[in-house]
Structures are given as structure tokens and as C-alpha cells.
Amino acid sequence: MRTTRVTVAALAVAAALTLTACGSSPAKNDGGVTQITGEKKAGAATLLDRPFDKPELVLTDTTGKPWNLREQTKGRPTLIYFGYTNCPDVCPLTMSNIAVAKKALPKEDRDKLQVVFVTTDPERDTPESLGAWLRAQDPAFTGLTGDFSTIQAAARSLGIGIDPPKKEADGSVVSMHGAQVIAFSPKTDEGYVLYGEGTTVDDYTKDLPKIIKGENP
């Protein structure tokens, strides 16, 4: 089967260009966004040549308590997505697709899977509002908010460009961000699989059982 070589930075730009309704566009590349190569598989997954280290990230969860990404996802299959609750389409669709696919898993596997949503719009996404939004998707999803520069640095370390939220002339606020989901292995705690904006419920349904085991999709 033929494979192609891609870069995470290229994927970020390609995804962002299609997300104008979500307020996403290519973040300015000042050299801070990690670039890495991977192998595009037949489905939605891109297997990364050099997996990402899990960021040292401590933010505030939806209960208002500190939440340490490395400590609280250690040894667990984990999906991480950066987005914002006021996004009209792509962010809720991405989380909904994951939630639906998760429901198809056996309970034991559902309990193992950690899904983390990190806001790119922390000024508006308070712990309370973020919690209410995520509960409508899946009450078990973890929502994190906090200092924007801290969030931006973590996203960039995973090849995801995000810009500070910007107020438009009509008064609306848009949050520019890449639309990738990164899957971390429970075996190595490294991010080894990338999913783009077009990933469907069927894609996640097919791949999640393997990700939960730390296998290649």
C-alpha cells in the first residue's frame, strides 16, 4: 500500500485553512511550532516518525483544581485536542465524533481512555462554562483552562499552532488554532498518532481499540 510523507506543520496549515467557520487559520510560524514527519496510513491516522513527549502542562480543570497532564494521564491512552467552546462547528464536531466512537467501546476500554480538551480561549472558557460544554459531549472528558501563553507553548510542542483570540470588527471573537487530535500511547506516554479535522466517527471507532492498547492503528 502506498504511503506519503507529511509534516505536522503542513498538516496544521492544511487543516486550519479549511476551518474559517471555526475562526481557525494558520498561526504565525515564528519557528516555535515543532515540526516532525510521519507516515499517512490508509485511514485517517498519521503515524509519527518521532513521537511527541507529553508536555509538562499544569492547568485548571473544570472543578477549579490544578490538573497535571503528565501525572494524571500517565500510563493511560489519551487523546488531546486544543479548541474553544464558542467554535460554531469544528470543535464540537470533533469532540462529538470522539464521544460517539467512545460509546462503542467495551466499558473496560471506555474507562481507560482519557480525552483532554484544552481551551485556546481561556478568557471566555472558564472552568464552569467549559465544564458545562463538555458534559453535553461526555461527562468523563477532561477540560483544561489557564494562562494562554502556557497553553500556546504546549500546543506548539505538539506541532499545533494557535494564536491569541482576536476580536473582529463585528464584535465577535475568534480563536485561531490547528484542528489536530494527538493520541498518546499507554505504553510509552508519547504522542504517536495524529488525526486531522476530517476524521470521522467511523475512523475513531476503528482506531480507538488499538490506541487503547498502544498499538498502531
Side-chain angles (χ1 to χ4, degrees), residues 76-99:
R76 294 186 64 178
T78 302
L79 302 181
I80 294 179
Y81 180 78
F82 292 80
Y84 68 117
T85 65
N86 285 281
C87 172
D89 44 27
V90 178
C91 299
L93 178 61
T94 298
M95 300 310 290
S96 175
N97 286 347
I98 294 171

Side-chain angles (χ1 to χ4, degrees), residues 123-139:
E123 184 171 337
R124 291 189 295 170
D125 285 344
T126 64
E128 295 78 14
S129 63
L130 184 55
W133 188 82
L134 283 174
R135 281 192 295 274
Q137 302 282 354
D138 186 319

Side-chain angles (χ1 to χ4, degrees), residues 57 59 80-84 116-120 142-145 151:
L57 183 63
L59 294 171
I80 294 179
Y81 180 78
F82 292 80
Y84 68 117
V116 180
F117 180 95
V118 184
T119 182
T120 60
T142 297
L144 300 178
T145 187
I151 293 168

Side-chain angles (χ1 to χ4, degrees), residues 23-170:
S24 296
S25 66
K28 300 178 183 66
N29 188 351
D30 59 3
V33 178
T34 299
Q35 297 188 35
I36 201 164
T37 59
E39 181 180 305
K40 186 74 173 69
K41 307 304 287 184
T46 295
L47 299 180
L48 302 179
D49 289 342
R50 291 187 299 166
F52 293 113
D53 290 331
K54 195 173 287 180
E56 289 191 20
L57 183 63
V58 179
L59 294 171
T60 301
D61 69 13
T62 55
T63 69
K65 296 178 180 178
W67 205 89
N68 187 307
L69 179 67
R70 282 192 176 180
E71 290 183 3
Q72 293 180 250
T73 63
K74 184 176 178 59
R76 294 186 64 178
T78 302
L79 302 181
I80 294 179
Y81 180 78
F82 292 80
Y84 68 117
T85 65
N86 285 281
C87 172
D89 44 27
V90 178
C91 299
L93 178 61
T94 298
M95 300 310 290
S96 175
N97 286 347
I98 294 171
V100 172
K102 181 186 169 189
K103 288 178 182 177
L105 294 168
K107 184 180 185 305
E108 182 180 1
D109 285 348
R110 291 199 305 269
D111 292 343
K112 292 176 182 176
L113 182 65
Q114 182 84 53
V115 180
V116 180
F117 180 95
V118 184
T119 182
T120 60
D121 184 13
E123 184 171 337
R124 291 189 295 170
D125 285 344
T126 64
E128 295 78 14
S129 63
L130 184 55
W133 188 82
L134 283 174
R135 281 192 295 274
Q137 302 282 354
D138 186 319
F141 285 177
T142 297
L144 300 178
T145 187
D147 177 68
F148 177 81
S149 62
T150 300
I151 293 168
Q152 184 182 52
R156 287 178 171 180
S157 75
L158 298 175
I160 300 171
I162 64 175
D163 281 345
K166 180 182 178 182
K167 191 169 186 177
E168 299 295 316
D170 63 0

